[in-house]
Amino acid sequence: MYKGVQEMDVVQRSKLSDRCFTAMNYFLLILFTILCIYPFYYVFIFSISDPAKVVSGVTWFPKGLTLYNYISIFKIEGIVRAFMNSTIRTVVGTLITLFCCSIFAYTVTKNQTYFRKFIYRFVILTMFFNPGLIPIYLTMKSYGLINSFWIYILPFAMSAYFVILLKTFIEQLPISLEEAALIDGAGYFTVFAKIIFPLSQPILATIAVFSAVNQWNSWFDNYLYVSNPKLQTLQYLLYQYLTESQRIADSIKNMNTQQMLDAANQMVLTPEGVRMTITMIAVIPIILVYPMMQRYFVKGIMMGAVKG
């Protein structure tokens, strides 16, 4: 009897400790989530606040709810064209990357491909060596890609990292499916288009997220290779305005108190408002795309890393 009471007491203590541990876990995870989300939330409410009323900053709610910052930013000359350039670059570049990398990865999985091991290892070797800025520039110039929209697309058509993920994923698919299709008279391209490609959706979605984020955020290639204003991307244009906003911020610091009060009584686009609004414009499209791919993301990464 006494032993049974002791066992019940141990079980109750164990349950209590488990509950305390679970509660502490929830508390820490919620705190961590708030710490991650609040900076983005702060930028968002700052961007939709009245520029004259957020001189002292914001906390949890916008001050003087308005879309003035966004309206003013999109009135900047060339901003809409740059937004379209970045959108087209992201969509077309991602599709071409998926097609080229998946075709190449499927090819090097076939024993019938001559020197497939050498080719695959050579691709992996490119991850360890960087030719440098000048050779890359001269190569792009020799191909006639300088001041061309294709400079945003073709250099990203192949990625060694994406090829590794795709090859590993394709190799773990049941070989019997492909053999059955070949027996029925299907060619390799038909097998790829109707069997391999549909079954590779998880890893393709994962690569699509990586590629789209990279294409959308890229601005350095615009800085190096493109001087035509009609081909400017959103990220590079926003980078230029962010740089200019710092100069405006420095001039505002030199204003006397009365001038700052006079400016605060008017609806003006401040440097801080420029930064916050530009940050939101650059981040929102990716945030909208990511949830659609999230259900494939973890599955694709895990399955693409099972075999080396």
Side-chain angles (χ1 to χ4, degrees):
M1 183 69 178
Y2 179 73
K3 184 177 181 181
V5 172
Q6 282 186 324
E7 290 178 353
M8 291 180 61
D9 185 54
V10 170
V11 171
Q12 289 178 352
R13 289 181 181 180
S14 177
K15 290 183 178 180
L16 180 62
S17 62
D18 289 342
R19 290 175 183 174
C20 291
F21 180 76
T22 302
M24 181 61 68
N25 274 345
Y26 275 112
F27 173 76
L28 292 176
L29 290 174
I30 291 173
L31 180 62
F32 180 74
T33 302
I34 293 174
L35 291 176
C36 292
I37 293 177
Y38 182 73
F40 174 77
Y41 176 74
Y42 177 89
V43 173
F44 174 69
I45 61 175
F46 197 107
S47 68
I48 61 174
S49 297
D50 187 338
K53 295 181 180 180
V54 293
V55 177
S56 59
V58 292
T59 52
W60 294 103
F61 303 101
K63 296 181 179 179
L65 183 64
T66 179
L67 296 177
Y68 175 79
N69 288 328
Y70 290 92
I71 295 173
S72 300
I73 289 295
F74 279 102
K75 285 182 179 179
I76 296 175
E77 183 180 359
I79 194 77
V80 176
R81 183 174 59 241
F83 184 86
M84 292 302 299
N85 287 339
S86 289
T87 302
I88 296 172
R89 168 186 181 165
T90 301
V91 174
V92 176
T94 301
L95 292 177
I96 290 179
T97 298
L98 289 176
F99 178 77
C100 294
C101 290
S102 57
I103 282 286
F104 185 86
Y106 177 67
T107 302
V108 295
T109 61
K110 301 293 100 187
N111 293 327
Q112 293 81 356
T113 302
Y114 294 108
F115 308 110
R116 70 183 187 91
K117 292 184 178 180
F118 172 78
I119 295 172
Y120 180 64
R121 289 169 183 171
F122 185 81
V123 170
I124 295 177
L125 196 65
T126 61
M127 299 177 66
F128 299 94
F129 298 96
N130 190 339
L133 202 58
I134 295 177
I136 292 176
Y137 182 88
L138 294 175
T139 301
M140 298 305 167
K141 185 177 180 179
S142 66
Y143 288 149
L145 296 178
I146 302 299
N147 275 325
S148 169
F149 187 80
W150 290 106
I151 191 66
Y152 302 140
I153 307 297
L154 296 183
F156 296 96
M158 285 292 298
S159 169
Y161 177 63
F162 295 162
V163 169
I164 293 172
L165 291 179
L166 281 162
K167 178 180 178 293
T168 306
F169 188 93
I170 292 172
E171 286 179 339
Q172 58 86 38
L173 294 176
I175 192 64
S176 57
L177 295 175
E178 186 174 350
E179 291 175 347
L182 292 174
I183 291 173
D184 290 338
Y188 284 113
F189 188 80
T190 303
V191 171
F192 172 78
K194 294 187 176 181
I195 297 178
I196 303 300
F197 197 84
L199 291 177
S200 301
Q201 284 187 0
I203 193 64
L204 289 173
T206 303
I207 292 174
V209 172
F210 287 153
S211 179
V213 170
N214 183 49
Q215 289 280 12
W216 180 261
N217 290 334
S218 183
W219 62 271
F220 196 61
D221 47 4
N222 188 177
Y223 176 76
L224 288 178
Y225 308 122
V226 179
S227 58
N228 187 350
K230 294 183 179 180
L231 296 178
Q232 282 187 336
T233 59
L234 179 66
Q235 299 297 337
Y236 179 62
L237 190 63
L238 298 185
Y239 165 77
Q240 289 180 316
Y241 284 113
L242 280 174
T243 305
E244 293 179 6
S245 71
Q246 183 60 48
R247 176 179 56 80
I248 298 173
D250 293 337
S251 64
I252 288 179
K253 290 180 182 178
N254 297 326
M255 295 172 60
N256 57 44
T257 305
Q258 185 60 42
Q259 287 175 318
M260 293 183 69
L261 291 175
D262 293 340
N265 293 327
Q266 301 177 3
M267 183 80 75
V268 292
L269 188 63
T270 62
E272 291 79 8
V274 172
R275 294 192 188 94
M276 301 301 180
T277 308
I278 285 175
T279 301
M280 290 304 304
I281 292 173
V283 169
I284 284 177
I286 293 300
I287 291 180
L288 295 178
V289 170
Y290 182 78
M292 294 186 293
M293 303 291 187
Q294 187 177 11
R295 63 194 182 103
Y296 297 109
F297 193 78
V298 176
K299 182 180 177 182
I301 285 293
M302 293 300 294
M303 295 183 70
V306 171
K307 296 164 65 179

